[in-house]
Amino acid sequence: MSDQFIGYTVSISCKDGLGIYQGKVSNVNDDNQTLVLQKAFKNGIPCPGSQLVTLNAQTIESIHIIDSGEDTPKPSSIVSVTKPVAKKANKPISVSENLVHNQLVNITSPDVPTASVKPLQSWTVFKESPRKFNLDNSTFQPALFNDVRTTPGSHKNSRRQKWHEKDEACFGAPINYHQLTKEFDFEKNLALFNKQAVFEEINASQKPDVIRQAIKVNRCKPNEVSIIRSRQIFVSQPGQKEYITDDGVIIPSITRALRSQLFHLAEENHFTISRQCEAMGRAVTELAIPLLGTHHRLNPLDTQHRPIVVVMCGLHRAGVMGANAARILSSHGVETVLFLHQTQNFYQNMTNELYLYEHTGNRMTTFLQELPKHGIDLIIMALADEDTPVEIPRSVINWVNSKKVQVLAVNPPSLGTPGIPATCSVLPILPLTNSPDNGKLYLANLGIPMKFFNDINIRYKSPFGHRFTIPLYVCD
């Protein structure tokens, strides 16, 4: 009795979320209560392997018959049409080759007389697109519809052949249904993307050939391309190096004593440390935002993918500047975590900054274990200061170096932060003689009045122009 359903095409809904199977019944076993489907599909996707699926009666919820398979062809004119087969690009396949490799499909056409059907052996089919079975004019189509055949070599036939070749190149590859069932790991794939290298390549490709070649030969001499050097700042106690800006302005380095003298003179004339740190914090924020991806990462509508910045501060002038930068970054929507290296000998300026930072709602800690394990986009380093020697623990150095992220140093010592090389550094007023460990140097404008420079024998003219920070290059 069950054998009468063999050959039926059915759709079977299974229990317990096993899905919906479709296929042709090839075997029904009454003893085992099983049913075998051939050429089976599960939820619209072909089943792997031999496409044979065995279903138990206990798992079947309902069966719907799609096709009984009892239709028999009526006596009429029969045209043999080959089933489309995969082929290599730019290689035509004749119908005679298809007859060898494929089964014939009978198409009943009672309206077409037998005498009007032409032989197919000499015609060529160029392309069977997966999207549509669009045969060329050189096939049996004129025989079925009494159309006018296009002569070989005509412009229209050549264009259609090009369309077929493009379809084959685009859609000719078989579909791997196993890959469709796998989840794509976006985070793992994003980690493999070196954004900084791509941005540098884009920036390099947008510059003229002459400038790009000059920068490649000597990146420390942007003035040699098309800019004349200009010396506008003269100091009484110069350092060992001179620097140059993009505009060709020469910036001399100064000694630590001369810079400390300028700081103290400004403080005595009501240009307090808090004012200086506010200007420095803004400059650090201006450099940190491009390192985070600019507006792409700081979209106000995207609150689920906020960039994470760890700010590491000591109890000195540079630490106050770092805490100020953490507060300003928080106001831009950045998730900041403030790490304090020391908890003793607090002084008033740091206490005020920490009080303001606590009201941002972001975290503050003194333990490395409470810092983020992953997802950090930038580390702002303010643990060391030129005027306040501090010994950084080895555990802190190892933690920073293990994160493999960019490090932005705030007013670091001239020899660099011990054990922690910086990607770039922000320097106030005038630079010291900096070590290469401080990375690329940027000079920040603190807005100190001109009179204070004149009082300590510095002839000063602002090199900043329309910017708050400018890059510095070592000048030979």
Side-chain angles (χ1 to χ4, degrees), residues 165-196:
E165 293 173 355
K166 290 180 179 180
D167 285 345
E168 176 65 25
C170 184
F171 303 102
I175 299 175
N176 189 344
Y177 292 99
H178 299 288
Q179 295 293 336
L180 298 179
T181 58
K182 295 181 180 180
E183 292 290 339
F184 183 75
D185 192 344
F186 287 93
E187 294 184 358
K188 182 179 179 181
N189 186 71
L190 183 61
L192 300 175
F193 176 53
N194 190 349
K195 293 177 284 188
Q196 185 63 30

Short mmCIF file of all heavy atoms in Angstrom, two decimals, residues 165-196:
data_model
loop_
_atom_site.label_atom_id
_atom_site.label_comp_id
_atom_site.label_asym_id
_atom_site.label_seq_id
_atom_site.Cartn_x
_atom_site.Cartn_y
_atom_site.Cartn_z
N GLU A 165 28.74 35.85 -21.69
CA GLU A 165 30.04 35.64 -21.07
C GLU A 165 30.14 36.35 -19.73
O GLU A 165 30.72 35.84 -18.77
CB GLU A 165 31.15 36.12 -22.01
CG GLU A 165 31.26 35.29 -23.28
CD GLU A 165 32.25 35.89 -24.27
OE1 GLU A 165 32.75 37.00 -23.98
OE2 GLU A 165 32.53 35.25 -25.30
N LYS A 166 29.57 37.56 -19.63
CA LYS A 166 29.57 38.27 -18.35
C LYS A 166 28.74 37.53 -17.31
O LYS A 166 29.12 37.45 -16.14
CB LYS A 166 29.03 39.69 -18.53
CG LYS A 166 29.97 40.60 -19.31
CD LYS A 166 29.38 41.99 -19.46
CE LYS A 166 30.32 42.91 -20.22
NZ LYS A 166 29.75 44.27 -20.39
N ASP A 167 27.59 36.99 -17.73
CA ASP A 167 26.76 36.22 -16.80
C ASP A 167 27.49 34.98 -16.31
O ASP A 167 27.39 34.60 -15.14
CB ASP A 167 25.44 35.81 -17.49
CG ASP A 167 24.49 36.98 -17.62
OD1 ASP A 167 24.74 38.01 -16.93
OD2 ASP A 167 23.52 36.88 -18.38
N GLU A 168 28.22 34.34 -17.22
CA GLU A 168 28.95 33.14 -16.83
C GLU A 168 30.04 33.47 -15.81
O GLU A 168 30.24 32.74 -14.84
CB GLU A 168 29.56 32.48 -18.07
CG GLU A 168 30.42 31.26 -17.77
CD GLU A 168 29.62 30.13 -17.19
OE1 GLU A 168 28.40 30.08 -17.44
OE2 GLU A 168 30.20 29.32 -16.45
N ALA A 169 30.75 34.60 -16.05
CA ALA A 169 31.82 34.98 -15.12
C ALA A 169 31.27 35.35 -13.75
O ALA A 169 31.92 35.14 -12.73
CB ALA A 169 32.61 36.15 -15.71
N CYS A 170 30.05 35.90 -13.73
CA CYS A 170 29.48 36.37 -12.47
C CYS A 170 28.73 35.26 -11.73
O CYS A 170 28.85 35.13 -10.51
CB CYS A 170 28.55 37.55 -12.72
SG CYS A 170 27.86 38.29 -11.24
N PHE A 171 27.96 34.46 -12.46
CA PHE A 171 27.07 33.50 -11.82
C PHE A 171 27.42 32.04 -12.11
O PHE A 171 26.67 31.15 -11.73
CB PHE A 171 25.62 33.74 -12.28
CG PHE A 171 25.13 35.13 -12.01
CD1 PHE A 171 25.07 36.07 -13.02
CD2 PHE A 171 24.73 35.50 -10.74
CE1 PHE A 171 24.61 37.35 -12.78
CE2 PHE A 171 24.28 36.77 -10.48
CZ PHE A 171 24.22 37.70 -11.50
N GLY A 172 28.55 31.80 -12.79
CA GLY A 172 28.87 30.43 -13.19
C GLY A 172 29.37 29.55 -12.06
O GLY A 172 29.31 28.33 -12.16
N ALA A 173 29.90 30.17 -11.00
CA ALA A 173 30.46 29.36 -9.90
C ALA A 173 29.34 28.69 -9.12
O ALA A 173 28.28 29.29 -8.88
CB ALA A 173 31.30 30.23 -8.96
N PRO A 174 29.52 27.43 -8.69
CA PRO A 174 28.47 26.76 -7.91
C PRO A 174 28.34 27.38 -6.52
O PRO A 174 29.29 27.93 -5.97
CB PRO A 174 28.97 25.31 -7.84
CG PRO A 174 30.46 25.41 -8.01
CD PRO A 174 30.68 26.57 -8.94
N ILE A 175 27.17 27.27 -5.95
CA ILE A 175 26.90 27.82 -4.62
C ILE A 175 27.31 26.80 -3.56
O ILE A 175 26.92 25.64 -3.63
CB ILE A 175 25.40 28.17 -4.47
CG1 ILE A 175 25.02 29.23 -5.51
CG2 ILE A 175 25.09 28.67 -3.06
CD1 ILE A 175 23.55 29.56 -5.52
N ASN A 176 28.08 27.26 -2.58
CA ASN A 176 28.48 26.42 -1.46
C ASN A 176 27.49 26.64 -0.32
O ASN A 176 27.58 27.62 0.42
CB ASN A 176 29.90 26.77 -1.01
CG ASN A 176 30.45 25.77 0.00
OD1 ASN A 176 29.69 24.99 0.59
ND2 ASN A 176 31.76 25.79 0.19
N TYR A 177 26.54 25.74 -0.21
CA TYR A 177 25.49 25.92 0.79
C TYR A 177 26.01 25.72 2.21
O TYR A 177 25.41 26.19 3.17
CB TYR A 177 24.34 24.95 0.51
CG TYR A 177 23.60 25.28 -0.75
CD1 TYR A 177 23.86 24.60 -1.93
CD2 TYR A 177 22.64 26.29 -0.78
CE1 TYR A 177 23.19 24.90 -3.10
CE2 TYR A 177 21.96 26.60 -1.94
CZ TYR A 177 22.23 25.89 -3.09
OH TYR A 177 21.56 26.20 -4.25
N HIS A 178 27.13 25.03 2.38
CA HIS A 178 27.69 24.85 3.72
C HIS A 178 28.19 26.18 4.27
O HIS A 178 28.08 26.45 5.47
CB HIS A 178 28.83 23.83 3.68
CG HIS A 178 28.38 22.46 3.22
ND1 HIS A 178 27.62 21.64 4.00
CD2 HIS A 178 28.58 21.81 2.04
CE1 HIS A 178 27.38 20.51 3.33
NE2 HIS A 178 27.94 20.59 2.14
N GLN A 179 28.76 27.03 3.40
CA GLN A 179 29.24 28.33 3.86
C GLN A 179 28.10 29.26 4.24
O GLN A 179 28.26 30.14 5.07
CB GLN A 179 30.10 28.99 2.76
CG GLN A 179 31.38 28.24 2.45
CD GLN A 179 32.36 28.29 3.61
OE1 GLN A 179 32.30 29.18 4.43
NE2 GLN A 179 33.25 27.30 3.68
N LEU A 180 26.93 29.06 3.61
CA LEU A 180 25.79 29.92 3.92
C LEU A 180 25.26 29.70 5.32
O LEU A 180 24.62 30.59 5.88
CB LEU A 180 24.66 29.69 2.89
CG LEU A 180 25.00 30.02 1.44
CD1 LEU A 180 23.81 29.72 0.54
CD2 LEU A 180 25.40 31.49 1.31
N THR A 181 25.49 28.54 5.88
CA THR A 181 24.96 28.23 7.21
C THR A 181 25.88 28.71 8.33
O THR A 181 25.50 28.64 9.49
CB THR A 181 24.75 26.72 7.35
OG1 THR A 181 25.99 26.04 7.13
CG2 THR A 181 23.72 26.23 6.32
N LYS A 182 27.12 29.16 8.01
CA LYS A 182 28.06 29.59 9.03
C LYS A 182 27.84 31.06 9.36
O LYS A 182 27.57 31.88 8.47
CB LYS A 182 29.50 29.37 8.57
CG LYS A 182 29.86 27.91 8.37
CD LYS A 182 31.32 27.77 7.95
CE LYS A 182 31.71 26.31 7.75
NZ LYS A 182 33.13 26.18 7.33
N GLU A 183 27.98 31.40 10.63
CA GLU A 183 27.87 32.78 11.07
C GLU A 183 29.18 33.52 10.77
O GLU A 183 30.27 33.00 10.99
CB GLU A 183 27.57 32.85 12.57
CG GLU A 183 26.18 32.35 12.94
CD GLU A 183 25.09 33.28 12.44
OE1 GLU A 183 25.39 34.46 12.19
OE2 GLU A 183 23.94 32.83 12.29
N PHE A 184 29.06 34.74 10.26
CA PHE A 184 30.25 35.55 9.94
C PHE A 184 30.69 36.29 11.20
O PHE A 184 29.89 36.98 11.84
CB PHE A 184 29.94 36.54 8.83
CG PHE A 184 31.12 37.35 8.39
CD1 PHE A 184 32.10 36.79 7.60
CD2 PHE A 184 31.26 38.67 8.78
CE1 PHE A 184 33.20 37.52 7.20
CE2 PHE A 184 32.35 39.42 8.38
CZ PHE A 184 33.32 38.84 7.58
N ASP A 185 31.97 36.15 11.57
CA ASP A 185 32.52 36.78 12.76
C ASP A 185 33.03 38.17 12.38
O ASP A 185 34.13 38.34 11.87
CB ASP A 185 33.65 35.94 13.33
CG ASP A 185 34.06 36.39 14.72
OD1 ASP A 185 33.67 37.51 15.09
OD2 ASP A 185 34.73 35.63 15.44
N PHE A 186 32.20 39.20 12.62
CA PHE A 186 32.56 40.55 12.24
C PHE A 186 33.73 41.08 13.06
O PHE A 186 34.60 41.77 12.55
CB PHE A 186 31.35 41.49 12.39
CG PHE A 186 30.30 41.27 11.34
CD1 PHE A 186 29.24 40.42 11.56
CD2 PHE A 186 30.38 41.91 10.12
CE1 PHE A 186 28.28 40.22 10.60
CE2 PHE A 186 29.43 41.72 9.14
CZ PHE A 186 28.37 40.87 9.38
N GLU A 187 33.74 40.80 14.38
CA GLU A 187 34.80 41.32 15.23
C GLU A 187 36.16 40.74 14.86
O GLU A 187 37.17 41.45 14.82
CB GLU A 187 34.48 41.01 16.69
CG GLU A 187 33.25 41.75 17.22
CD GLU A 187 33.04 41.49 18.69
OE1 GLU A 187 33.84 40.72 19.27
OE2 GLU A 187 32.10 42.06 19.27
N LYS A 188 36.20 39.43 14.58
CA LYS A 188 37.47 38.80 14.19
C LYS A 188 37.94 39.34 12.86
O LYS A 188 39.14 39.60 12.67
CB LYS A 188 37.28 37.28 14.12
CG LYS A 188 38.55 36.52 13.76
CD LYS A 188 38.30 35.02 13.74
CE LYS A 188 39.56 34.26 13.36
NZ LYS A 188 39.32 32.80 13.32
N ASN A 189 37.03 39.55 11.92
CA ASN A 189 37.43 40.07 10.62
C ASN A 189 37.91 41.52 10.72
O ASN A 189 38.85 41.92 10.05
CB ASN A 189 36.24 39.98 9.65
CG ASN A 189 36.62 40.36 8.24
OD1 ASN A 189 37.32 39.64 7.56
ND2 ASN A 189 36.15 41.52 7.80
N LEU A 190 37.25 42.32 11.61
CA LEU A 190 37.66 43.71 11.78
C LEU A 190 39.04 43.80 12.40
O LEU A 190 39.82 44.71 12.10
CB LEU A 190 36.64 44.45 12.65
CG LEU A 190 36.90 45.94 12.87
CD1 LEU A 190 36.89 46.68 11.54
CD2 LEU A 190 35.85 46.52 13.80
N ALA A 191 39.38 42.86 13.29
CA ALA A 191 40.69 42.88 13.93
C ALA A 191 41.81 42.64 12.92
O ALA A 191 42.96 43.05 13.13
CB ALA A 191 40.76 41.83 15.04
N LEU A 192 41.51 41.97 11.81
CA LEU A 192 42.52 41.71 10.78
C LEU A 192 42.75 42.90 9.87
O LEU A 192 43.68 42.90 9.06
CB LEU A 192 42.09 40.50 9.93
CG LEU A 192 41.91 39.17 10.68
CD1 LEU A 192 41.38 38.11 9.73
CD2 LEU A 192 43.21 38.72 11.31
N PHE A 193 41.92 43.93 10.00
CA PHE A 193 41.99 45.09 9.11
C PHE A 193 42.90 46.15 9.73
O PHE A 193 42.60 46.68 10.80
CB PHE A 193 40.59 45.65 8.89
CG PHE A 193 40.56 46.92 8.07
CD1 PHE A 193 41.19 46.96 6.85
CD2 PHE A 193 39.91 48.04 8.53
CE1 PHE A 193 41.17 48.11 6.09
CE2 PHE A 193 39.89 49.19 7.79
CZ PHE A 193 40.52 49.23 6.56
N ASN A 194 44.00 46.44 9.10
CA ASN A 194 44.95 47.43 9.58
C ASN A 194 44.51 48.80 9.06
O ASN A 194 44.88 49.23 7.96
CB ASN A 194 46.36 47.10 9.10
CG ASN A 194 47.42 47.96 9.75
OD1 ASN A 194 47.09 48.95 10.41
ND2 ASN A 194 48.66 47.59 9.58
N LYS A 195 43.70 49.48 9.86
CA LYS A 195 43.13 50.75 9.42
C LYS A 195 44.21 51.82 9.22
O LYS A 195 44.13 52.60 8.25
CB LYS A 195 42.10 51.23 10.45
CG LYS A 195 40.88 50.34 10.53
CD LYS A 195 39.93 50.82 11.60
CE LYS A 195 40.44 50.45 12.98
NZ LYS A 195 39.47 50.72 14.04
N GLN A 196 45.18 51.86 10.11
CA GLN A 196 46.20 52.89 10.02
C GLN A 196 46.99 52.78 8.72
O GLN A 196 47.29 53.78 8.06
CB GLN A 196 47.14 52.79 11.23
CG GLN A 196 48.17 53.91 11.29
CD GLN A 196 47.53 55.28 11.46
OE1 GLN A 196 46.46 55.38 12.05
NE2 GLN A 196 48.18 56.31 10.94
#
